[in-house]
Amino acid sequence: MDKAAQAGELSVEFSASGSEYFRIWIVNLLLVVLTLGLYLPFAKARRLRYFYANTQVGGTPLAFHGDPWRMFRGYLVMLVLFGSSALANAYSAWTSLLGLGVLAALWPALWRSSMRFRLANTSWRGLRFGFDGSLRGAYLALLPMFAPAAMLLAVSAWAMQGVDKADPAAVDRASQGVGPAFLAIMLLALLLLPLALWLIKRYQHDHYRLAAQVTQLSVGPGAFYTLSFKATILGLLAMVTVLGTGWLAASAIMSAGRGKAMAAGVAAALLLTVAYVALLSLVAAYMAARMQDLTWNHTRSAALRFRSRLSAKALATLTIRNLLLVVLTLGLYRPFAVVATHRLRLQSTSLEVDAEFGRWTATPAAVAGGASGEMAGDFFGIDVGL
Amino acid sequence: MQADPTPPAQGPATQGPRAIWFDGRSARARPVHLSLRDRHLLLHPVDDCEAAAEEGLSLRHACRAITWPEPARHGRRVILLPDGGTLQLDDASAWDHWFRQQGLQTSWAARLAQSWQKSGLALVVLVAVALAAWRWGIPAAAQQLAHWVPAAALRSLDDAVMSELQGRGWLSPSELPATTQAGIEAALADMVASAYARDQAPHWRLAFHKLPGWMGPNAFALPGGRIVVSDALVGLLQQAPGQGPPPALLGVLAHELGHVRERHGVRLLVEAGATGVLLGWWMGDYSVVLAGAPAAMLQAAYARGHERAADAEALRLMQAAGLDPRAMASFFRALQPRLPERDGDSPAFGLSTHPADSERIEFFEAAGRPLQP
C-alpha cells in the first residue's frame, strides 16, 4: 500500500523563498494598481496557490482550488457593501449609524462564509477541507465583541433623549451624566476580551473538517485569561520603561540648556517612539506564539492531533528583524518578512494521525460557501489563523 | 467543465511525465503517466486503469478547464483538474520541459514574475506610478474634489470653526479703531476689483480679532473665505499717518485670499487623507506610527506647495494694484526676530508647512527688482 499514508507523525514543511515571493508580489501589486484594485482577487488566488504549493504536510502539498472569477464577483459585492456604507457615512449621522449597523449585522455571516470558502477550496491529497460552523454559532461567537459597542450606543441614545442639541451646556451635562456608565461598559469590554477571543477560537477550532474528521478545541477560557493577563503585564512594563526613559531623557535635555534642546528633544522622542513600537511588537509576538501553541495543542479530532512548539523568543526576534528591515527598505522587505514568519509558524507544527489515512474518503457534497465572504475576510485582515 | 467519462487510449504512454494522482474523492495516491491529445490531458494509471474507469473517474480533461501550475523554483507543481482532483508533479524540470514542448503556456502574469528583469521592471513602473500619483494625481484629484464642494457648505464650515475657536477663548474682540478696520477692508476690495474680473473674485470677509500671544502677528484664511486678521499683525505693520494701509498688510491679505481662491484648505484635507490612507495601506500592517512619519512629511510638502501658490497669487494682486512686492520681503525680515522658534532656513526634518523665509524673501525681492535698471 501507499507507504506515505500510514499512521504516524506528519511534518509540516514550508519551502517558499522570499525572493521568489517578492517577484510574484511586485507583479501582483503593479497589476492591482494599474487596474485600480480590480485585479485583487486574481492576485490573491495566485498568492494562495504559491503558498499552498509550498506548504507540504507529510510530503504532500496543499492545493487552492478557488476560482478567481468567482472571487471577483464576491469582491464586487464587498465593494458595493463597503462603498454604500462609506456613502451613508458621508451623508448624515443617522445614515452613518445605519450603515455601520448593517455592516455589523452582516459581519458574522461574512466571517463564517469567508472561512467556509477558504476551507472548501483547500485540499490535501485530493480531499477538501471544510468548515461546519453554523450561522447562529458565528453570531454567538462574536457577541461579546459587539455587545459592549451596542450598549455604548444605547446608553448615549438614552442620555441624549430630550436634550436640546443646540445648547452646548445641556449636551455637556448629559454626557457628564453617562460618564460612569461609559467607563463601566469599557471596563466590562476589557474584562470580556479574553472570553471573546476564546469564543472566536472555539467556534473556529470546533468546526474544521477533513474527510470524516471534525476537530474540537479542548481548552477552556481560563487559559486565555492567564495568557491575556501575562501579555497585559508585559505591555504595561513596556509602557512604564519607555515613559520612565522619556522622563529621564527630558530632564537631562532640560538641564543641558537651550542651545541644542530642540534637536535633542526631537531625536529623543523619535528614538523612544521606535523603542515603544519595538517593545509592543515583542509583546504581540509573545502573545501570538503562546496563542498558537495554546489553541493548536488543544485541537484534535478522532484520529488527528496537532502539535505546535512555537518559540516566543524566535518569533519575537524575527518580528524585530522584519520590522527593522521593512523600515530600512521602505516597505520592500514585506514579502520576505511574510515568508519568514510563515515558515517559522508552520514549521513549528506537526500532525499526528492515528489511522491509515490513505483510505479516507470525502464526505458527499462538500458544501461550497459564497466567494464574497472570502474577500470580506481579507478586507479586515481577519483570516483563518495558521 | 465537461469531463468525458470514456477511458483514454489503452497502452502505456512512456514518453509523458509521471505524476501522482489524487482523484478528489479519496486520499489514495495513484501514480499515473500523462499525455496530451486533441487539446485534452489524458491520465494513464500505472497499475489499475480499469478500476479507475469503473469508479466513474474521468481520465480525460479539456486543457482549457485545467489550472496549470506556475513555474517556480520552490514548492511542488500541482495541476488542478476540473473535477476537483489534483496531479502532483515531483520532477519539476521534467514537467516544465514537457509542458513547453507541448506548446502550452501559463498566464502572462506568472511569466512576468518568473524573471528578475521583468519583475524589476514592474518595480520601476510601480515606483513611477507612485511618484506620479504623489506629484500630479493626488493634487489634481484634490483640486477637482475641492471645486465640487458647494460654497455654502464651506461657509457653514467657517462658522463652525469660528465658534470652536471662540469656545476655546482664542478669539477676543479686536481693539483696533473701526476706521482702521474699514480702511483695510476698502483697500483690499479695491485690490480685488483691480485684479479679478467681476465673477472671478472669490467670496471673502475679514474678521479682526485679538489673538493669544503665542500666535504672534498672524492672519489665516478659512476654507469658506473668512480671513482672520490679528491686531498684532496690523500693529506690526504701522500705518503711516494720512496714507492707506501698508502694502505688506495688503500683500499678506492677498496671500490669504490666494488660499481661499484655490480652496487650499479643502485640497490639503483631501491630499493629507489620500497620502495617509495609501501609506497606511503600504506600511500599516507593520506599524501605524511608522506609516505616520512619512505621511506627515508628504503632507507638509503639499502644504509648502500651497504656500508658494498663494505667494504667487499675492504677487499678482500686488502688481495689479500697483504695490511694490518688496514690501513683503521687508515684512518677512521684520517677522524673523519676533518668532525665535522660526528657524529660517532649515525646515525641521521636512515637517515644516511653510517654505523657508529666505526663499520667500528672495521670491518677492526678485519680482520687485526692475529687469532693466
Side-chain angles (χ1 to χ4, degrees), chain B residues 136-149 261-264 266-268 270-271 306:
Chain B
W136 296 291
I138 293 175
Q143 191 173 8
Q144 280 302 317
L145 272 173
H147 282 278
W148 280 344
V149 180
R261 191 176 139 81
E262 300 291 329
R263 301 208 162 174
H264 284 157
V266 184
R267 278 162 67 178
L268 192 62
V270 176
E271 287 162 349
H306 294 329

Side-chain angles (χ1 to χ4, degrees), chain A residues 20 54 59 330 334 360 362, chain B residues 24-25 27 70 73 75-76 282:
Chain A
E20 194 158 64
N54 281 289
L330 300 175
R334 273 170 58 197
W360 284 1
Chain B
R25 304 193 189 177
E70 296 182 358
R73 275 184 303 122
R76 292 275 173 87
W282 181 252

Side-chain angles (χ1 to χ4, degrees), chain B residues 270-342:
Chain B
V270 176
E271 287 162 349
T275 44
V277 166
L278 287 178
L279 278 167
W281 167 68
W282 181 252
M283 298 281 266
D285 43 346
Y286 277 90
S287 163
V288 179
V289 180
L290 293 178
M297 275 160 98
L298 293 180
Q299 288 157 14
Y302 282 132
R304 288 197 296 274
H306 294 329
E307 292 305 325
R308 289 195 187 99
D311 275 352
E313 193 68 6
L315 176 64
R316 208 175 71 77
L317 262 85
M318 289 181 87
Q319 283 170 337
L323 299 173
D324 186 351
R326 278 177 292 188
M328 286 296 278
S330 337
F331 166 66
F332 283 122
R333 281 204 197 92
L335 211 56
Q336 270 172 333
R338 284 173 184 266
L339 299 164
E341 75 278 14
R342 192 158 159 149

Side-chain angles (χ1 to χ4, degrees), chain B residues 43-335:
Chain B
L43 277 56
H44 309 272
V46 169
D47 2 276
D48 47 355
C49 185
E50 278 78 20
E54 271 163 28
E55 287 168 40
L57 296 167
S58 174
L59 298 173
R60 185 169 179 273
H61 298 281
C63 283
R64 60 189 170 77
I66 291 173
T67 306
W68 302 109
E70 296 182 358
R73 275 184 303 122
H74 301 269
R76 292 275 173 87
R77 303 278 197 284
V78 178
I79 300 172
L80 305 180
L81 298 174
D83 66 352
T86 55
L87 291 164
Q88 180 185 321
L89 304 152
D90 288 342
D91 187 348
S93 63
W95 163 258
D96 286 344
H97 179 73
W98 183 81
F99 191 69
R100 262 197 309 278
Q101 223 173 28
Q102 305 298 315
L104 293 168
Q105 275 194 329
T106 50
S107 78
W108 52 272
R111 291 202 299 280
L112 272 183
Q114 257 169 272
S115 104
W116 270 110
Q117 279 102 332
K118 284 175 189 153
S119 47
L121 195 66
L123 175 60
V124 171
V125 174
L126 202 61
V127 170
V129 168
L131 284 177
W134 178 69
R135 181 73 183 75
W136 296 291
I138 293 175
Q143 191 173 8
Q144 280 302 317
L145 272 173
H147 282 278
W148 280 344
V149 180
L154 291 181
R155 256 170 259 154
S156 59
L157 181 67
D158 281 9
D159 291 337
V161 173
M162 288 301 271
S163 60
E164 170 72 24
L165 292 176
Q166 215 116 39
R168 292 188 186 198
W170 289 356
L171 296 178
S172 319
S174 173
E175 288 161 8
L176 295 173
T179 49
T180 312
Q181 295 188 15
I184 294 170
E185 240 179 287
L188 186 59
D190 282 349
M191 203 173 175
V192 169
S194 62
Y196 299 113
R198 183 182 282 273
D199 54 344
Q200 294 295 303
H203 167 91
W204 59 274
R205 208 174 115 197
L206 292 185
F208 293 91
H209 283 284
K210 191 166 182 282
L211 299 182
W214 56 265
M215 279 196 188
N218 209 334
F220 57 90
L222 299 179
R226 191 88 54 109
I227 299 173
V228 178
V229 188
S230 80
D231 285 5
L233 180 71
V234 180
L236 176 71
L237 298 162
Q238 277 298 333
Q239 194 166 335
Q243 284 182 8
L249 180 57
L250 291 176
V252 169
L253 296 180
H255 171 97
E256 296 306 327
L257 206 64
H259 282 317
V260 173
R261 191 176 139 81
E262 300 291 329
R263 301 208 162 174
H264 284 157
V266 184
R267 278 162 67 178
L268 192 62
L269 216 63
V270 176
E271 287 162 349
T275 44
V277 166
L278 287 178
L279 278 167
W281 167 68
W282 181 252
M283 298 281 266
D285 43 346
Y286 277 90
S287 163
V288 179
V289 180
L290 293 178
M297 275 160 98
L298 293 180
Q299 288 157 14
Y302 282 132
R304 288 197 296 274
H306 294 329
E307 292 305 325
R308 289 195 187 99
D311 275 352
E313 193 68 6
L315 176 64
R316 208 175 71 77
L317 262 85
M318 289 181 87
Q319 283 170 337
L323 299 173
D324 186 351
R326 278 177 292 188
M328 286 296 278
S330 337
F331 166 66
F332 283 122
R333 281 204 197 92
L335 211 56

